């Protein structure tokens, strides 16, 4: 936005600036995910007599937990971003005049983003398997709560859907895949999965993460169907991609990736409760004792909503100016 | 102690200088809106706010062990300063990117006022932090500095390349 209008800067250099943003935000995402990984499984230090010793900052940052979380969440973020952008382009196509030059360009952008989304979805699926095996080893309480494993045993089925009833039975519609959770957790149907009976009652995560996981899985299935459907239509009937209904579906599913990422964060965060830093600090202890923080807590969101809405207005104006008058800001 | 404090005070001082210039311009444009961007700075100037982020990172990095007490001491003023800065940012975007009129009005006065209030609050924050540091003598955590300094130099080097390129091609 600030360099595009300068003719002296070549498109390649402009693209390089964009690449810098991608690399920077990816590193930033790694830093955030790494801290979260550390909270899920603290490492890189020892506590001797109430004091931290042998502090290994790099070891803590690049622990197995943070790497597993990173490779699973990063493709998810890229997928979410790509789908939002594709959705916005689809929305513009629905509203624009037919057969203009810009329209075919918009379609090219959507196609490329859909291919990118498909690759990212595949990466997420592969790393989801790694995450499952990691959870079974290092964070069994989370996995047991997500999948309602009451007793430690082998041959555990994977259950999709349903709610946990008052006596531990499953109510509502659900799909049961025999031995699938053992396969996911240990690579074999004979693998033993730790159940909730081996986890102290006060250290069990809230059962709320179970329905969140089901919702997440449902949305992932919807996203897979949308992307697969899009690619199949592109392959067999490319003309249909300009169809209003196809564009509306792409536009509507744009937000799904973001919701999936949110659900993923909710599962990892709520699934760690009652701990803030697992095994060391509970959330109750981590709460700040600063006075009036709740009063101030209302002011900040208001300021952010104000800032966000003004930014949206500004973006709208810039887009309108550049597209209508042919002028670049 | 002095070296550690310098890490916090240098970015703060640089930011204060940059922000005072902004404040001056925000007041000057009330009298003479000027040409182009209404007598104010281009959006790239906002990069100076990185210095503020930098100063906060320094506080967190150096005083890890007494962070709870330090944050208690500076919480209210920091919070208000951040809120006023957010308001300033919203007004900035509104004045220069949303509204079409170039006439000076209430919003512009509010914009100038937000600069003054934010500047005052930031001074209060720095004073409170310094009072806390000099009265309680919190232990300084130096374990991150050996990683931090080379990282900082690397970041400055990487950031300098596009900035230099931008300013050289401008003319």
């Amino acid at each position: 936005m600030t360099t595009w209008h300068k003719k002296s800067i070549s498109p390649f250099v402009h693209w390089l600036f964009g690449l810098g943003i991608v690399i920077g935000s990816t590193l930033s995402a790694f830093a955030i995910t790494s801290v979260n990984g550390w909270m899920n499984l603290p490492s890189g230090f020892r506590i001797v007599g109430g004091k931290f010793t042998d502090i290994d900052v790099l070891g803590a940052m690049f622990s197995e937990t943070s790497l597993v979380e990173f490779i699973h969440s990063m493709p998810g973020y890229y997928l979410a971003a790509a789908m939002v952008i594709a959705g916005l382009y689809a929305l513009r196509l629905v509203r624009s005049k037919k057969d203009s030059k810009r329209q075919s360009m918009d379609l090219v952008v959507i196609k490329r983003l859909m291919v990118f989304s498909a690759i990212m979805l595949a990466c997420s699926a592969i790393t989801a398997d790694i995450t499952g095996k990691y959870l079974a080893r290092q964070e069994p309480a989370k996995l047991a709560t997500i999948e309602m494993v009451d007793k430690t045993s082998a041959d555990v089925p994977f259950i999709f859907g349903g709610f946990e009833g008052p006596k531990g039975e499953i109510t509502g519609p659900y799909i049961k895949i025999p031995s699938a959770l053992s396969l996911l957790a240990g690579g074999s149907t004979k693998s033993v999965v730790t159940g909730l009976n081996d986890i102290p009652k006060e250290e069990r995560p809230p059962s709320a993460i179970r329905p969140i996981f089901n919702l997440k899985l449902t949305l992932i299935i919807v996203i897979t169907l949308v992307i697969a459907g899009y690619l199949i239509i592109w392959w067999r009937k490319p003309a249909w991609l300009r169809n209003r209904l196809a564009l509306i579906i792409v536009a509507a599913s744009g937000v799904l990736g973001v919701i999936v990422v949110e659900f993923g964060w909710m599962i990892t965060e709520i699934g760690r409760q009652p701990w803030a830093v697992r095994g060391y600090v509970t959330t109750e202890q981590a709460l700040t004792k600063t006075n009036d923080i709740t009063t101030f807590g209302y002011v900040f969101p208001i300021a952010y909503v104000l800032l966000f809405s003004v930014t949206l207005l500004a973006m709208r104006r810039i887009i309108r100016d550049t597209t209508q008058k042919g002028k670049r800001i | 102690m002095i070296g550690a404090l310098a890490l916090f005070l240098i970015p703060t001082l640089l930011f204060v200088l940059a922000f005072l210039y902004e404040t001056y311009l925000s007041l000057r444009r009330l009298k003479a809106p000027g040409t182009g961007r209404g007598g104010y700075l281009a959006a790239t100037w906002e990069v100076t706010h990185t210095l503020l982020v930098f100063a906060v990172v320094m506080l967190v990095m150096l005083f890890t062990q007494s962070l709870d007490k330090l944050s208690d001491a500076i919480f209210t003023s920091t919070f208000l300063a951040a809120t006023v800065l957010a308001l300033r940012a919203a007004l900035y975007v509104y004045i220069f990117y949303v509204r079409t009129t170039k006439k000076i009005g209430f919003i512009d006065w509010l914009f100038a006022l937000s600069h003054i209030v934010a500047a005052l609050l930031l001074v209060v924050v720095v004073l409170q932090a310094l009072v806390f540091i000099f009265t309680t003598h919190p232990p300084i955590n130096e374990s991150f500095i050996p990683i931090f300094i080379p990282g900082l130099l690397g970041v400055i080097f990487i950031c300098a390349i596009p900035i230099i390129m931008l300013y050289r091609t401008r003319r």
Side-chain angles (χ1 to χ4, degrees):
Chain A
M1 202 164 83
T2 51
T3 60
W4 188 235
H5 64 292
K6 289 190 187 10
K7 283 219 174 79
S8 49
I9 287 178
S10 69
F12 176 70
V13 174
H14 187 80
W15 180 82
L16 270 186
F17 286 167
L19 188 70
I21 295 172
V22 174
I23 296 170
S25 47
T26 304
L27 289 176
S28 171
F30 175 77
I32 295 167
T33 315
S34 160
V35 171
N36 184 263
W38 186 83
M39 287 158 82
N40 280 339
L41 190 68
S43 63
F45 66 94
R46 282 191 309 134
I47 292 188
V48 180
K51 286 231 158 129
F52 285 94
T53 49
D54 295 340
I55 295 173
D56 175 14
V57 179
L58 293 177
M61 267 189 85
F62 295 94
S63 67
E64 190 204 356
T65 322
S66 61
L67 292 178
V68 166
E69 275 193 33
F70 181 68
I71 58 170
H72 182 51
S73 57
M74 207 60 226
Y77 305 149
Y78 285 139
L79 172 75
M83 289 198 72
V84 167
I85 300 166
L88 289 175
Y89 272 96
L91 201 65
R92 194 162 88 162
L93 262 179
V94 171
R95 293 171 59 181
S96 68
K97 285 193 202 106
K98 274 209 161 147
D99 295 328
S100 61
K101 195 183 166 194
R102 204 182 73 199
Q103 220 185 10
S104 47
M105 194 60 219
D106 284 358
L107 203 63
V108 169
V109 174
I110 297 175
K111 282 176 184 168
R112 287 186 182 175
L113 284 170
M114 278 300 177
V115 173
F116 179 75
S117 302
I119 297 168
M120 286 303 131
L121 189 67
C123 291
S124 277
I126 294 165
T127 52
D129 179 65
I130 298 171
T131 308
K133 289 183 173 51
Y134 160 79
L135 282 180
R137 248 183 312 120
Q138 304 283 22
E139 299 177 40
K142 213 178 255 179
L143 189 69
T145 312
I146 289 171
E147 272 305 316
M148 295 190 293
V149 185
D150 289 332
K151 264 191 222 134
T152 303
S153 55
D155 255 347
V156 189
F158 184 89
I159 300 164
F160 171 47
F163 298 94
E164 188 157 21
K167 282 175 204 145
E169 80 282 7
I170 305 162
T171 58
Y174 64 89
I175 301 167
K176 191 171 177 178
I177 309 170
S179 308
L181 190 64
S182 285
L183 195 64
L184 178 73
S188 147
T189 52
K190 297 281 170 294
S191 306
V192 176
V193 178
T194 311
L196 285 172
N197 62 331
D198 280 343
I199 293 152
K201 211 166 191 153
E202 63 277 6
E203 285 183 20
R204 287 180 199 168
S207 53
I209 58 172
R210 159 93 187 146
I212 297 174
F213 179 75
N214 277 328
L215 283 172
K216 185 184 168 193
L217 211 54
T218 314
L219 287 181
I220 290 170
I221 292 169
V222 173
I223 288 174
T224 312
L225 288 176
V226 168
I227 294 175
Y230 194 90
L231 294 179
I232 290 170
I233 290 174
W234 186 11
W235 177 37
R236 306 298 304 184
K237 298 268 180 196
W240 288 6
L241 293 184
R242 281 172 185 269
N243 184 294
R244 223 180 141 74
L245 183 68
L247 291 172
I248 289 173
I249 290 172
V250 173
S253 56
V255 75
L256 294 183
V258 180
I259 301 175
V260 167
V261 167
E262 272 316 310
F263 280 155
W265 274 102
M266 281 161 91
I267 293 167
T268 187
E269 289 299 289
I270 302 173
R272 194 183 54 238
Q273 303 307 319
W275 299 109
V277 180
R278 200 171 110 213
Y280 295 93
V281 185
T282 62
T283 309
E284 210 178 336
Q285 293 164 335
L287 267 181
T288 175
K289 282 157 195 79
T290 307
N291 293 323
D292 304 329
I293 200 157
T294 40
T295 335
F296 286 121
Y298 295 108
V299 181
F300 237 16
I302 293 170
Y304 265 92
V305 167
L306 186 71
L307 198 54
F308 188 65
S309 26
V310 178
T311 312
L312 274 185
L313 281 175
M315 279 162 73
R316 242 181 92 98
R317 221 185 98 91
I318 289 169
I319 291 169
R320 215 175 47 211
D321 283 359
T322 47
T323 51
Q324 282 184 356
K325 295 173 198 158
K327 173 181 100 182
R328 280 172 176 161
I329 298 266
Chain B
M1 178 76 175
I2 302 293
L5 268 183
L7 278 178
F8 162 62
L9 284 177
I10 289 171
T12 314
L13 202 69
L14 287 174
F15 177 76
V16 165
L17 287 175
F19 196 74
L20 282 178
Y21 182 56
E22 274 176 57
T23 312
Y24 162 69
L25 284 182
S26 74
L27 286 168
R28 198 189 66 172
R29 61 182 289 282
L30 293 177
K31 284 273 176 207
T35 49
R37 286 248 161 264
Y40 199 65
L41 301 149
T44 34
W45 181 263
E46 296 291 304
V47 80
T48 54
H49 286 254
T50 323
L51 290 164
L52 194 61
V53 177
F54 193 82
V56 174
V57 170
M58 285 306 108
L59 273 186
V60 174
M61 188 181 88
L62 294 168
F63 303 106
T64 34
Q65 288 176 46
S66 40
L67 209 55
D68 50 341
K69 294 187 196 74
L70 177 65
S71 58
D72 262 357
I74 63 171
F75 176 75
T76 313
S77 44
T78 312
F79 187 88
L80 290 174
T83 312
V84 177
L85 278 178
L87 183 70
R88 188 206 79 91
L91 292 171
Y92 174 84
V93 174
Y94 177 76
I95 290 172
F96 297 108
Y97 292 94
V98 178
R99 95 177 165 181
T100 42
T101 170
K102 285 221 161 77
K103 253 173 73 183
I104 298 297
F106 169 70
I107 298 286
D108 302 82
W109 281 93
L110 201 62
F111 184 55
L113 187 70
S114 72
H115 280 82
I116 298 171
V117 176
L120 287 175
L121 283 168
L122 286 170
V123 169
V124 173
V125 172
V126 176
L127 288 180
Q128 280 177 334
L130 287 178
V131 166
F132 175 83
I133 290 163
F134 283 113
T135 51
T136 58
H137 299 287
I140 291 173
N141 182 358
E142 284 166 358
S143 56
F144 295 110
I145 295 176
I147 312 172
F148 178 77
I149 299 288
L152 177 67
L153 293 176
V155 167
I156 290 173
F157 176 71
I158 293 169
C159 291
I161 296 171
I163 292 172
I164 290 168
M165 246 158 98
L166 205 62
Y167 277 88
R168 273 183 59 187
T169 47
R170 202 180 185 180
R171 288 175 195 115

